[in-house]
Amino acid sequence: MTTEWVNKAHGLHASRQDGESRSKIWKDINLPQQAPQPFKIALCQLSVTSDKLRNITHARNAIESAAGNGAQLVVLPEIWNCPYLNENFPKNAENFDNEDASPSFSMLSEVARVCGITVVGGSIPEWSDGQLYNTCCVFGIDGKLKAKHRKIHLFDVDIPGDITYKESDTLSAGEKPTIVDTDVGRIGLGICHDIRFPELAMLYAARGAQLICYPGAFNMSTGQLLWELMQRARAVDNQLFVATCSPARDTSADYVTWGHSTLVGPFGEVISTTGHEESTVIAEIDYSLIQLRRSNLPLEKQRRGDIYQLRGVHGLDSEK
């Protein structure tokens, strides 16, 4: 099922009249057969400095503290091992194929194993085949890399009198959506600007994601206007959980982040959030709410596959 969305999954075509078949298709691929019990998620909103080794130690301490407080899933911010700025990416990037030269990557793997938790490692700059990517790595409870998501939609913005910034001046775009089965459920991955594109979230929902994690570093302008709005929109449209994690705000930085790391539920409700300062959000996720909300408002039965379709992306299974 790598090339079609719900409407044509398993080679079936959904028309307006065959609502029963359409519902069956959704149920076949929507949720994993066994949902984990309720668990705690931690969103570590970290302060970030120009000292990479300090940032790595600081992130590890935050992860260990969250695990000590019962978190089974820990999420870090976008670009946490250096300040978010194009000029900082090349000199702090790591080649994940050489773990000895990848201290950020190696720390995430080790702390996941030692603490016995799943870690969505925010994002760090990655060198691969001469290209520079903004990459999120997911590690399982055994410390092994389970998935790697390269930011698909690069943040290029030009608002006169406000902000001009182009990630594409430095970074290359990823080419694949990423969905991963973990000990805490099926997770879809996006990075910051990826949240602006609802098609990606719809694809993840159709492929059975229960939670979408978006490490992000929204700026002060787009953050105030759009950060919470889009999290709630992605969650309520797809009736699943959305978690975001931002760096803490540093008003002396060249790029000032909005903060406000947040967990949103499947009815678009804000379950837990923080302000702009360094903080860790710890909250409970109960996947049974997904099925409850989908029975309250059965969007899967109401979709008009005879009018519109979303085709998937080749290669999605290779990321699992």
Side-chain angles (χ1 to χ4, degrees), residues 129-268:
D129 295 328
Q131 300 292 314
L132 187 63
Y133 299 96
N134 185 346
T135 303
C136 175
C137 296
V138 178
F139 296 89
I141 60 175
D142 56 2
K144 294 182 179 179
L145 179 68
K146 295 186 70 68
K148 182 173 70 172
H149 177 76
R150 290 169 172 165
K151 189 172 186 176
I152 297 172
H153 306 94
L154 298 182
F155 180 58
D156 286 3
V157 60
D158 185 9
I159 304 175
D162 190 347
I163 180 173
T164 298
Y165 190 85
K166 292 187 176 182
E167 282 187 329
S168 62
D169 286 346
T170 305
L171 298 172
S172 297
E175 297 296 333
K176 296 180 180 179
T178 309
I179 191 167
V180 56
D181 284 315
T182 74
D183 283 72
V184 290
R186 185 169 293 176
I187 300 174
L189 299 173
I191 299 175
C192 200
H193 199 47
D194 286 340
I195 200 173
R196 294 294 300 269
F197 299 88
E199 300 89 344
L200 183 63
M202 291 171 68
L203 179 62
Y204 287 156
R207 294 304 306 272
Q210 297 151 304
L211 166 68
I212 306 178
C213 292
Y214 293 100
F218 268 52
N219 61 72
M220 296 294 289
S221 298
T222 59
Q224 184 176 19
L225 290 171
L226 302 173
W227 181 237
E228 181 179 308
L229 171 67
M230 287 189 297
Q231 294 172 62
R232 298 181 67 189
R234 299 296 86 82
V236 75
D237 283 351
N238 298 288
Q239 297 177 306
L240 44 62
F241 288 87
V242 166
T244 60
C245 191
S246 167
R249 188 180 306 171
D250 178 0
T251 56
S252 66
D254 292 323
Y255 182 97
V256 182
T257 56
W258 176 243
H260 298 275
S261 301
T262 304
L263 175 67
V264 180
F267 244 26

Side-chain angles (χ1 to χ4, degrees), residues 49 52 60 99 109 123 126 151 184 217 251 286 310 318-319:
T49 72
K52 181 177 178 179
R60 178 171 190 141
E99 292 192 28
S109 172
S123 75
E126 176 202 9
K151 189 172 186 176
V184 290
T251 56
D286 183 353
L310 176 69
S318 66
E319 292 296 309

Side-chain angles (χ1 to χ4, degrees), residues 6-310:
V6 178
N7 302 316
K8 283 194 174 181
H10 303 293
L12 298 175
H13 178 69
S15 69
R16 181 177 175 83
Q17 284 73 35
D18 65 359
E20 182 178 348
S21 296
R22 187 162 63 245
S23 178
K24 180 181 182 299
I25 292 169
W26 179 279
K27 289 177 181 177
D28 284 345
I29 68 173
N30 197 3
L31 287 176
Q33 290 185 343
Q34 292 185 340
Q37 294 297 309
F39 65 92
K40 288 184 179 180
I41 183 175
L43 312 174
C44 297
Q45 185 165 289
L46 302 173
S47 63
V48 179
T49 72
S50 58
D51 184 339
K52 181 177 178 179
L53 293 180
R54 174 266 178 200
N55 295 334
I56 294 172
T57 300
H58 193 59
R60 178 171 190 141
N61 291 340
I63 295 169
E64 291 175 338
S65 177
N69 283 302
Q72 294 173 258
L73 171 63
V74 176
V75 184
L76 296 189
E78 180 184 23
I79 307 293
W80 56 266
N81 72 349
C82 66
Y84 178 92
L85 206 63
N86 274 341
E87 64 189 47
N88 292 328
F89 299 157
K91 56 189 177 184
N92 290 285
E94 300 180 6
N95 181 349
F96 302 155
D97 293 329
N98 182 0
E99 292 192 28
D100 292 336
S102 301
S104 306
F105 181 95
S106 298
M107 181 277 289
L108 294 173
S109 172
E110 182 182 4
V111 75
R113 177 182 58 80
V114 170
C115 293
I117 60 173
T118 300
V119 174
V120 175
S123 75
I124 57 177
E126 176 202 9
W127 279 118
S128 179
D129 295 328
Q131 300 292 314
L132 187 63
Y133 299 96
N134 185 346
T135 303
C136 175
C137 296
V138 178
F139 296 89
I141 60 175
D142 56 2
K144 294 182 179 179
L145 179 68
K146 295 186 70 68
K148 182 173 70 172
H149 177 76
R150 290 169 172 165
K151 189 172 186 176
I152 297 172
H153 306 94
L154 298 182
F155 180 58
D156 286 3
V157 60
D158 185 9
I159 304 175
D162 190 347
I163 180 173
T164 298
Y165 190 85
K166 292 187 176 182
E167 282 187 329
S168 62
D169 286 346
T170 305
L171 298 172
S172 297
E175 297 296 333
K176 296 180 180 179
T178 309
I179 191 167
V180 56
D181 284 315
T182 74
D183 283 72
V184 290
R186 185 169 293 176
I187 300 174
L189 299 173
I191 299 175
C192 200
H193 199 47
D194 286 340
I195 200 173
R196 294 294 300 269
F197 299 88
E199 300 89 344
L200 183 63
M202 291 171 68
L203 179 62
Y204 287 156
R207 294 304 306 272
Q210 297 151 304
L211 166 68
I212 306 178
C213 292
Y214 293 100
F218 268 52
N219 61 72
M220 296 294 289
S221 298
T222 59
Q224 184 176 19
L225 290 171
L226 302 173
W227 181 237
E228 181 179 308
L229 171 67
M230 287 189 297
Q231 294 172 62
R232 298 181 67 189
R234 299 296 86 82
V236 75
D237 283 351
N238 298 288
Q239 297 177 306
L240 44 62
F241 288 87
V242 166
T244 60
C245 191
S246 167
R249 188 180 306 171
D250 178 0
T251 56
S252 66
D254 292 323
Y255 182 97
V256 182
T257 56
W258 176 243
H260 298 275
S261 301
T262 304
L263 175 67
V264 180
F267 244 26
E269 72 276 22
V270 174
I271 295 173
S272 190
T273 189
T274 189
H276 62 78
E277 68 286 342
E278 181 170 83
S279 180
T280 295
V281 175
I282 297 182
E284 184 176 88
I285 289 180
D286 183 353
Y287 289 141
S288 68
L289 287 175
I290 295 176
Q291 199 56 49
L292 173 64
R293 296 314 186 192
R294 290 177 180 178
S295 64
N296 295 154
L297 185 60
L299 300 182
E300 71 274 16
K301 296 179 181 179
Q302 300 165 356
R303 295 187 189 279
R304 291 293 305 274
D306 56 318
I307 296 177
Y308 48 76
Q309 297 177 4
L310 176 69

